[in-house]
Amino acid sequence: MTRDDWIQAATQRLLSQGVEAVRIESLAESMSVSRGSFYWHFKNHAELLEAILIRWRETQTRGLMNRISKDRRLSAADQLAKLRTLPARSKATKDASELELAVRAWARRDPVARHIVEGVDRERIDFSTSLLIEAGTEADEAEFQAITAYAYSLGESLLRENMTDAQIDACRGRLISMQAATFSDKDAT
């Protein structure tokens, strides 16, 4: 078993049963390994929990931001549009949404998780804010627009099962239009 196997198993347990069920002994049993395997990769339970949070941050925030921003041929406005039009119904989106909600539920009760979630929220808002400013939106308006769009994205993940594709597309389209209206460089749209 690798460190990654432990993190993956722990993440699946978080998703299926909550953070309280992420226990070394029960994970080892479900993976058919000894607890010694765990201690080969982690100092303690807290380190495993932190590894889950770090993996979540890296894949669902930094990895996404890197994929969007790496194509420097795209204008800031195009990068924002790409961010706002990620697939709504793919398996990857469903899995990411479930993990997002599980981590946020955990963060309501745990100060370490809360600290990492607050940092992720700030990174995501700052990323959108910087793209909006690059597209010509004034700084105060850019932060407002970034927070509004982020709040919508979180809300969409909660409501997705009760929304039609047409509703999701319409809401996302209005967000893009609302943001584009604030660009000083109208050629950016």
Side-chain angles (χ1 to χ4, degrees), residues 80-157:
L80 275 166
K82 190 172 184 178
L83 181 63
R84 302 286 176 250
T85 56
L86 294 170
R89 302 270 186 214
S90 71
K91 178 171 177 3
T93 302
K94 182 180 183 293
D95 292 348
S97 181
E98 288 175 1
L99 182 55
E100 183 83 23
L101 296 175
V103 167
R104 288 181 178 283
W106 172 13
R108 288 196 316 261
R109 299 181 305 280
D110 181 89
V112 173
R114 183 177 316 111
H115 177 73
I116 290 176
V117 167
E118 287 170 354
V120 163
D121 289 343
R122 189 76 257 155
E123 282 184 57
R124 291 172 177 176
I125 291 167
D126 288 349
F127 179 67
S128 290
T129 301
S130 68
L131 290 174
L132 285 157
I133 290 170
E134 189 178 332
T137 304
E138 294 292 326
D140 288 347
E141 181 65 19
E143 185 169 36
F144 169 78
Q145 293 287 339
I147 291 169
T148 300
Y150 186 55
Y152 169 76
S153 295
L154 292 174
E156 182 187 291
S157 70

Coordinates of all heavy atoms in Angstrom, one line a residue, residues 80-157:
L80 N -12.2 33.3 -17.5 CA -13.3 33.4 -16.6 C -14.5 32.6 -17.2 O -15.2 31.9 -16.5 CB -13.8 34.9 -16.5 CG -13.1 35.7 -15.4 CD1 -13.3 37.2 -15.6 CD2 -13.5 35.2 -14.0
A81 N -14.7 32.8 -18.5 CA -15.8 32.0 -19.1 C -15.6 30.5 -19.0 O -16.5 29.7 -18.7 CB -16.0 32.4 -20.6
K82 N -14.3 30.1 -19.2 CA -14.0 28.7 -19.0 C -14.3 28.2 -17.6 O -14.8 27.1 -17.4 CB -12.5 28.5 -19.4 CG -12.1 27.0 -19.5 CD -10.7 26.9 -20.1 CE -10.3 25.5 -20.3 NZ -9.0 25.4 -20.9
L83 N -13.9 29.0 -16.6 CA -14.1 28.7 -15.2 C -15.6 28.6 -14.9 O -16.1 27.7 -14.2 CB -13.5 29.8 -14.3 CG -13.6 29.7 -12.8 CD1 -12.9 28.4 -12.4 CD2 -13.1 30.9 -12.1
R84 N -16.4 29.5 -15.5 CA -17.9 29.5 -15.2 C -18.6 28.5 -16.0 O -19.8 28.2 -15.7 CB -18.4 30.9 -15.5 CG -17.8 32.0 -14.8 CD -18.2 32.1 -13.3 NE -17.5 33.2 -12.7 CZ -16.5 33.0 -11.8 NH1 -16.2 31.8 -11.4 NH2 -15.9 34.0 -11.3
T85 N -18.0 27.8 -17.0 CA -18.8 26.9 -17.8 C -18.2 25.4 -17.7 O -18.3 24.7 -18.6 CB -18.8 27.3 -19.3 OG1 -17.4 27.5 -19.7 CG2 -19.6 28.6 -19.4
L86 N -17.6 25.1 -16.6 CA -17.2 23.7 -16.4 C -18.4 22.8 -16.5 O -19.5 23.2 -16.2 CB -16.5 23.6 -15.0 CG -15.2 24.4 -14.8 CD1 -14.8 24.4 -13.4 CD2 -14.1 23.8 -15.7
P87 N -18.1 21.6 -16.9 CA -19.3 20.7 -17.1 C -20.1 20.6 -15.8 O -19.6 20.4 -14.7 CB -18.6 19.3 -17.4 CG -17.3 19.7 -17.9 CD -16.9 21.0 -17.2
A88 N -21.5 20.6 -16.0 CA -22.4 20.6 -14.8 C -22.8 19.2 -14.5 O -23.2 18.9 -13.3 CB -23.6 21.4 -15.1
R89 N -22.7 18.2 -15.4 CA -23.3 16.9 -15.1 C -22.4 15.8 -15.3 O -22.8 14.6 -15.3 CB -24.5 16.7 -16.0 CG -25.6 17.7 -15.9 CD -26.6 17.3 -14.9 NE -27.7 18.3 -14.9 CZ -28.4 18.7 -13.9 NH1 -28.1 18.1 -12.7 NH2 -29.3 19.5 -14.0
S90 N -21.1 16.0 -15.4 CA -20.1 14.9 -15.6 C -19.9 14.1 -14.3 O -20.2 14.6 -13.2 CB -18.8 15.4 -16.1 OG -18.1 16.1 -15.1
K91 N -19.4 12.9 -14.4 CA -19.1 12.1 -13.2 C -18.1 12.9 -12.4 O -18.1 12.9 -11.1 CB -18.6 10.7 -13.5 CG -18.3 9.9 -12.3 CD -18.0 8.5 -12.6 CE -17.5 7.7 -11.4 NZ -17.5 8.3 -10.1
A92 N -17.1 13.4 -13.0 CA -16.0 14.2 -12.3 C -16.6 15.4 -11.5 O -16.2 15.6 -10.4 CB -14.9 14.7 -13.3
T93 N -17.6 16.1 -12.1 CA -18.2 17.2 -11.5 C -19.0 16.7 -10.3 O -19.0 17.3 -9.2 CB -19.1 18.0 -12.4 OG1 -18.3 18.4 -13.5 CG2 -19.8 19.1 -11.8
K94 N -19.7 15.6 -10.4 CA -20.5 15.0 -9.3 C -19.6 14.6 -8.2 O -19.9 14.9 -7.0 CB -21.3 13.8 -9.8 CG -22.2 13.2 -8.8 CD -23.0 12.0 -9.4 CE -24.0 11.4 -8.4 NZ -23.3 10.7 -7.3
D95 N -18.5 13.9 -8.5 CA -17.6 13.5 -7.5 C -16.9 14.7 -6.8 O -16.8 14.7 -5.6 CB -16.5 12.6 -8.1 CG -17.0 11.3 -8.6 OD1 -18.1 10.9 -8.3 OD2 -16.2 10.6 -9.4
A96 N -16.5 15.7 -7.5 CA -15.9 16.9 -7.0 C -16.9 17.6 -6.1 O -16.6 18.1 -5.0 CB -15.5 17.8 -8.1
S97 N -18.2 17.7 -6.5 CA -19.2 18.3 -5.7 C -19.4 17.6 -4.4 O -19.6 18.2 -3.3 CB -20.5 18.4 -6.5 OG -21.5 19.1 -5.8
E98 N -19.5 16.3 -4.4 CA -19.7 15.5 -3.2 C -18.5 15.7 -2.3 O -18.7 15.8 -1.0 CB -19.9 14.0 -3.6 CG -21.2 13.7 -4.2 CD -21.3 12.3 -4.7 OE1 -20.4 11.5 -4.5 OE2 -22.4 11.9 -5.3
L99 N -17.3 15.7 -2.8 CA -16.1 15.9 -1.9 C -16.2 17.3 -1.3 O -15.9 17.5 -0.1 CB -14.8 15.6 -2.7 CG -13.6 15.8 -1.9 CD1 -13.6 14.9 -0.6 CD2 -12.4 15.4 -2.7
E100 N -16.5 18.3 -2.1 CA -16.6 19.7 -1.7 C -17.6 19.8 -0.5 O -17.2 20.4 0.6 CB -17.1 20.6 -2.8 CG -17.2 22.0 -2.5 CD -15.9 22.7 -2.6 OE1 -15.0 22.3 -3.3 OE2 -15.7 23.8 -2.0
L101 N -18.7 19.1 -0.6 CA -19.7 19.2 0.5 C -19.3 18.5 1.7 O -19.5 18.9 2.8 CB -21.1 18.7 -0.1 CG -21.7 19.5 -1.2 CD1 -23.0 18.8 -1.7 CD2 -22.0 20.9 -0.7
A102 N -18.6 17.3 1.5 CA -18.1 16.5 2.7 C -17.0 17.3 3.4 O -17.0 17.3 4.7 CB -17.6 15.2 2.2
V103 N -16.1 17.9 2.7 CA -15.1 18.7 3.3 C -15.7 19.9 4.1 O -15.3 20.2 5.2 CB -14.0 19.1 2.3 CG1 -13.1 20.2 2.9 CG2 -13.2 17.9 1.8
R104 N -16.6 20.6 3.5 CA -17.3 21.7 4.1 C -18.0 21.3 5.4 O -18.0 22.1 6.4 CB -18.1 22.5 3.1 CG -17.3 23.2 2.1 CD -18.0 24.1 1.1 NE -17.1 24.7 0.3 CZ -16.4 25.8 0.6 NH1 -16.6 26.4 1.8 NH2 -15.5 26.4 -0.2
A105 N -18.7 20.2 5.3 CA -19.4 19.7 6.5 C -18.4 19.4 7.6 O -18.6 19.8 8.8 CB -20.2 18.4 6.2
W106 N -17.3 18.8 7.3 CA -16.2 18.5 8.2 C -15.6 19.9 8.8 O -15.4 20.0 10.0 CB -15.1 17.8 7.5 CG -13.8 17.5 8.1 CD1 -13.5 17.6 9.4 CD2 -12.7 17.0 7.5 NE1 -12.2 17.3 9.6 CE2 -11.6 16.8 8.4 CE3 -12.4 16.6 6.1 CZ2 -10.4 16.4 8.1 CZ3 -11.1 16.1 5.8 CH2 -10.1 16.0 6.8
A107 N -15.5 20.9 8.0 CA -14.9 22.1 8.4 C -15.8 22.9 9.4 O -15.3 23.7 10.1 CB -14.6 23.0 7.2
R108 N -17.1 22.6 9.4 CA -17.9 23.3 10.3 C -17.6 22.9 11.8 O -18.0 23.6 12.7 CB -19.4 23.0 10.0 CG -19.9 23.7 8.8 CD -21.4 23.7 8.7 NE -22.0 22.4 9.0 CZ -22.4 21.5 8.1 NH1 -22.3 21.8 6.8 NH2 -23.0 20.4 8.5
R109 N -17.0 21.7 11.9 CA -16.7 21.2 13.3 C -15.3 21.1 13.6 O -14.9 20.8 14.8 CB -17.4 19.8 13.4 CG -18.8 19.8 13.2 CD -19.4 18.4 13.4 NE -18.9 17.3 12.6 CZ -19.1 17.1 11.3 NH1 -20.0 17.9 10.7 NH2 -18.6 16.1 10.6
D110 N -14.4 21.3 12.7 CA -13.0 21.1 12.9 C -12.1 22.3 12.5 O -12.2 22.7 11.4 CB -12.5 19.8 12.1 CG -11.1 19.5 12.3 OD1 -10.8 18.7 13.2 OD2 -10.2 20.0 11.5
P111 N -11.4 22.8 13.5 CA -10.6 24.1 13.2 C -9.5 23.9 12.1 O -9.3 24.9 11.4 CB -10.0 24.5 14.5 CG -10.1 23.3 15.4 CD -11.2 22.4 14.9
V112 N -8.9 22.8 12.0 CA -7.9 22.6 11.0 C -8.5 22.5 9.6 O -8.1 23.2 8.7 CB -7.0 21.3 11.3 CG1 -6.1 21.0 10.1 CG2 -6.3 21.4 12.6
A113 N -9.6 21.8 9.5 CA -10.3 21.7 8.2 C -10.9 23.1 7.9 O -10.8 23.5 6.7 CB -11.4 20.7 8.3
R114 N -11.4 23.8 8.9 CA -12.0 25.1 8.6 C -10.9 26.1 8.1 O -11.1 26.8 7.2 CB -12.6 25.7 9.9 CG -13.2 27.1 9.7 CD -13.9 27.6 11.0 NE -14.7 26.6 11.7 CZ -14.3 26.1 12.9 NH1 -13.3 26.5 13.5 NH2 -15.1 25.1 13.4
H115 N -9.7 26.0 8.7 CA -8.6 26.9 8.2 C -8.2 26.6 6.8 O -8.0 27.5 6.0 CB -7.4 26.7 9.1 CG -6.2 27.4 8.7 ND1 -6.1 28.8 8.9 CD2 -5.0 27.0 8.1 CE1 -4.9 29.2 8.5 NE2 -4.2 28.2 8.0
I116 N -8.2 25.3 6.4 CA -7.8 25.0 5.0 C -8.9 25.4 4.1 O -8.7 26.0 3.0 CB -7.4 23.5 4.9 CG1 -6.1 23.3 5.6 CG2 -7.4 23.1 3.4 CD1 -5.6 21.9 5.6
V117 N -10.2 25.2 4.5 CA -11.3 25.6 3.6 C -11.4 27.1 3.4 O -11.6 27.6 2.3 CB -12.7 25.1 4.2 CG1 -13.9 25.8 3.5 CG2 -12.8 23.6 4.0
E118 N -11.1 27.9 4.5 CA -11.1 29.3 4.4 C -10.0 29.8 3.4 O -10.1 30.7 2.6 CB -10.9 30.0 5.8 CG -12.1 29.9 6.7 CD -11.8 30.3 8.1 OE1 -10.7 30.5 8.5 OE2 -12.8 30.3 8.9
G119 N -8.8 29.1 3.5 CA -7.7 29.4 2.6 C -8.1 29.1 1.1 O -7.8 29.9 0.2
V120 N -8.8 28.0 0.9 CA -9.2 27.6 -0.4 C -10.2 28.6 -0.9 O -10.2 29.1 -2.1 CB -9.8 26.2 -0.4 CG1 -10.7 25.9 -1.7 CG2 -8.7 25.1 -0.3
D121 N -11.2 29.0 -0.1 CA -12.2 30.0 -0.5 C -11.4 31.3 -0.9 O -11.8 31.9 -2.0 CB -13.1 30.3 0.6 CG -14.1 29.2 0.9 OD1 -14.3 28.3 0.1 OD2 -14.7 29.3 2.0
R122 N -10.5 31.7 -0.2 CA -9.7 32.9 -0.5 C -9.0 32.8 -1.8 O -9.0 33.7 -2.7 CB -8.8 33.3 0.7 CG -8.1 34.6 0.5 CD -9.0 35.8 0.9 NE -9.5 36.4 -0.4 CZ -10.6 37.1 -0.5 NH1 -11.4 37.2 0.5 NH2 -11.0 37.6 -1.6
E123 N -8.3 31.6 -2.0 CA -7.6 31.4 -3.3 C -8.5 31.4 -4.5 O -8.2 32.0 -5.5 CB -6.9 30.0 -3.2 CG -5.6 29.9 -2.5 CD -5.0 28.6 -2.6 OE1 -4.7 28.1 -3.7 OE2 -4.8 27.9 -1.5
R124 N -9.7 30.8 -4.3 CA -10.6 30.8 -5.5 C -11.2 32.2 -5.8 O -11.3 32.6 -6.9 CB -11.8 29.8 -5.1 CG -11.3 28.3 -5.1 CD -12.5 27.5 -4.6 NE -12.1 26.1 -4.6 CZ -12.9 25.1 -4.2 NH1 -14.1 25.4 -3.6 NH2 -12.5 23.8 -4.2
I125 N -11.5 32.9 -4.7 CA -12.0 34.3 -4.9 C -10.9 35.1 -5.5 O -11.2 35.9 -6.4 CB -12.6 34.8 -3.6 CG1 -13.9 34.1 -3.3 CG2 -12.9 36.3 -3.7 CD1 -14.4 34.3 -1.9
D126 N -9.7 35.0 -5.0 CA -8.6 35.8 -5.5 C -8.3 35.5 -6.9 O -8.0 36.5 -7.7 CB -7.3 35.6 -4.6 CG -7.4 36.3 -3.2 OD1 -8.4 37.0 -3.0 OD2 -6.6 35.9 -2.4
F127 N -8.4 34.3 -7.3 CA -8.1 33.9 -8.7 C -9.2 34.6 -9.6 O -8.8 35.2 -10.6 CB -8.2 32.4 -8.9 CG -8.0 31.9 -10.3 CD1 -6.8 32.0 -10.9 CD2 -9.0 31.2 -11.0 CE1 -6.6 31.5 -12.2 CE2 -8.8 30.8 -12.3 CZ -7.6 30.9 -12.9
S128 N -10.4 34.5 -9.3 CA -11.5 35.1 -10.1 C -11.3 36.6 -10.1 O -11.4 37.3 -11.1 CB -12.9 34.8 -9.6 OG -13.1 33.4 -9.9
T129 N -11.0 37.2 -8.9 CA -10.8 38.6 -8.8 C -9.7 39.1 -9.7 O -9.8 40.1 -10.4 CB -10.5 39.0 -7.4 OG1 -11.6 38.6 -6.5 CG2 -10.3 40.5 -7.2
S130 N -8.6 38.4 -9.7 CA -7.4 38.8 -10.5 C -7.8 38.7 -12.0 O -7.4 39.6 -12.8 CB -6.2 37.9 -10.2 OG -6.4 36.6 -10.7
L131 N -8.5 37.7 -12.4 CA -8.9 37.6 -13.8 C -9.9 38.8 -14.2 O -9.8 39.3 -15.3 CB -9.6 36.3 -14.1 CG -8.7 35.0 -14.1 CD1 -9.6 33.8 -14.3 CD2 -7.7 35.1 -15.2
L132 N -10.8 39.1 -13.3 CA -11.7 40.2 -13.6 C -10.9 41.5 -13.7 O -11.2 42.3 -14.6 CB -12.7 40.3 -12.5 CG -13.8 39.3 -12.5 CD1 -14.5 39.0 -11.2 CD2 -14.9 39.7 -13.6
I133 N -10.0 41.8 -12.8 CA -9.2 43.0 -12.9 C -8.4 43.0 -14.2 O -8.3 44.0 -14.8 CB -8.3 43.1 -11.6 CG1 -9.1 43.4 -10.4 CG2 -7.2 44.2 -11.8 CD1 -8.4 43.3 -9.0
E134 N -7.8 41.9 -14.5 CA -7.0 41.8 -15.8 C -7.9 42.1 -17.0 O -7.4 42.7 -18.0 CB -6.4 40.4 -15.9 CG -5.4 40.3 -17.1 CD -4.8 38.9 -17.2 OE1 -4.7 38.2 -16.2 OE2 -4.4 38.5 -18.3
A135 N -9.2 41.8 -16.9 CA -10.1 42.0 -18.0 C -10.6 43.5 -17.9 O -11.4 43.9 -18.9 CB -11.3 41.1 -17.9
G136 N -10.2 44.2 -16.9 CA -10.6 45.7 -16.9 C -11.7 46.0 -15.9 O -12.1 47.2 -15.9
T137 N -12.0 45.2 -15.0 CA -13.0 45.5 -13.9 C -12.3 46.2 -12.8 O -11.2 45.8 -12.4 CB -13.7 44.2 -13.4 OG1 -14.2 43.5 -14.5 CG2 -14.7 44.5 -12.4
E138 N -12.9 47.2 -12.3 CA -12.4 47.9 -11.1 C -12.2 46.9 -9.9 O -13.1 46.0 -9.8 CB -13.3 49.1 -10.7 CG -13.3 50.2 -11.7 CD -12.0 50.9 -11.9 OE1 -11.3 51.1 -10.9 OE2 -11.7 51.3 -13.0
A139 N -11.2 47.2 -9.1 CA -10.9 46.2 -8.0 C -12.1 45.9 -7.1 O -12.3 44.7 -6.8 CB -9.7 46.7 -7.2
D140 N -12.8 46.9 -6.6 CA -13.9 46.7 -5.7 C -15.0 45.9 -6.4 O -15.6 44.9 -5.8 CB -14.5 48.0 -5.1 CG -13.5 48.6 -4.1 OD1 -12.6 48.0 -3.7 OD2 -13.8 49.8 -3.8
E141 N -15.3 46.2 -7.6 CA -16.3 45.5 -8.3 C -15.9 44.1 -8.7 O -16.7 43.2 -8.6 CB -16.7 46.3 -9.6 CG -17.7 45.6 -10.5 CD -19.1 45.6 -9.8 OE1 -19.4 46.4 -8.9 OE2 -20.0 44.8 -10.3
A142 N -14.6 43.9 -9.0 CA -14.1 42.6 -9.3 C -14.2 41.7 -8.1 O -14.6 40.5 -8.3 CB -12.6 42.7 -9.7
E143 N -13.9 42.2 -6.9 CA -14.1 41.3 -5.7 C -15.5 40.9 -5.5 O -15.9 39.8 -5.2 CB -13.4 41.9 -4.5 CG -13.5 40.9 -3.3 CD -12.7 41.4 -2.1 OE1 -12.7 42.6 -1.8 OE2 -12.2 40.5 -1.5
F144 N -16.4 41.9 -5.6 CA -17.9 41.7 -5.5 C -18.3 40.6 -6.5 O -19.0 39.7 -6.2 CB -18.7 43.0 -5.7 CG -20.1 42.7 -5.8 CD1 -20.9 42.4 -4.7 CD2 -20.7 42.7 -7.1 CE1 -22.3 42.2 -4.8 CE2 -22.1 42.5 -7.2 CZ -22.9 42.2 -6.1
Q145 N -17.9 40.8 -7.8 CA -18.3 39.8 -8.8 C -17.7 38.4 -8.5 O -18.4 37.4 -8.8 CB -17.8 40.3 -10.2 CG -18.5 41.6 -10.7 CD -19.9 41.4 -11.1 OE1 -20.3 40.2 -11.5 NE2 -20.7 42.4 -11.2
A146 N -16.5 38.4 -8.1 CA -15.9 37.1 -7.8 C -16.6 36.4 -6.6 O -16.9 35.2 -6.7 CB -14.4 37.3 -7.4
I147 N -16.9 37.1 -5.6 CA -17.7 36.5 -4.5 C -19.0 36.1 -4.9 O -19.5 35.0 -4.5 CB -17.7 37.5 -3.3 CG1 -16.3 37.7 -2.7 CG2 -18.7 37.0 -2.2 CD1 -16.2 38.8 -1.7
T148 N -19.7 36.9 -5.7 CA -21.1 36.5 -6.1 C -21.0 35.2 -7.0 O -21.8 34.3 -6.8 CB -21.6 37.7 -7.0 OG1 -21.7 38.8 -6.1 CG2 -23.0 37.3 -7.5
A149 N -20.1 35.2 -7.9 CA -20.0 34.0 -8.8 C -19.6 32.8 -7.9 O -20.1 31.7 -8.2 CB -19.0 34.2 -9.9
Y150 N -18.7 32.9 -7.0 CA -18.3 31.8 -6.1 C -19.4 31.3 -5.3 O -19.7 30.1 -5.2 CB -17.1 32.3 -5.2 CG -16.5 31.1 -4.4 CD1 -16.1 30.0 -5.1 CD2 -16.4 31.2 -3.1 CE1 -15.5 28.9 -4.3 CE2 -15.8 30.2 -2.3 CZ -15.4 29.1 -3.0 OH -14.8 28.1 -2.2
A151 N -20.2 32.2 -4.7 CA -21.4 31.9 -3.9 C -22.4 31.1 -4.8 O -23.0 30.1 -4.4 CB -22.0 33.1 -3.3
Y152 N -22.5 31.5 -6.1 CA -23.4 30.8 -7.0 C -22.9 29.4 -7.2 O -23.6 28.4 -7.2 CB -23.6 31.5 -8.3 CG -24.3 30.6 -9.3 CD1 -25.6 30.4 -9.2 CD2 -23.5 29.9 -10.2 CE1 -26.2 29.5 -10.0 CE2 -24.1 28.9 -11.0 CZ -25.5 28.7 -10.9 OH -26.1 27.8 -11.7
S153 N -21.6 29.3 -7.5 CA -21.0 28.0 -7.7 C -21.2 27.0 -6.6 O -21.6 25.8 -6.8 CB -19.5 28.1 -8.0 OG -19.3 28.8 -9.2
L154 N -21.0 27.5 -5.3 CA -21.3 26.6 -4.2 C -22.7 26.3 -4.1 O -23.1 25.1 -3.8 CB -20.8 27.3 -2.9 CG -19.3 27.5 -2.8 CD1 -19.0 28.4 -1.5 CD2 -18.6 26.2 -2.7
G155 N -23.6 27.3 -4.3 CA -25.0 27.0 -4.3 C -25.5 26.0 -5.4 O -26.3 25.1 -5.1
E156 N -24.9 26.1 -6.5 CA -25.2 25.2 -7.6 C -24.9 23.8 -7.2 O -25.6 22.9 -7.5 CB -24.5 25.6 -8.9 CG -24.8 24.7 -10.1 CD -24.0 25.0 -11.3 OE1 -24.2 26.0 -11.9 OE2 -23.2 24.1 -11.6
S157 N -23.8 23.6 -6.5 CA -23.4 22.3 -6.1 C -24.4 21.7 -5.2 O -24.6 20.5 -5.1 CB -22.0 22.2 -5.6 OG -21.9 22.9 -4.3

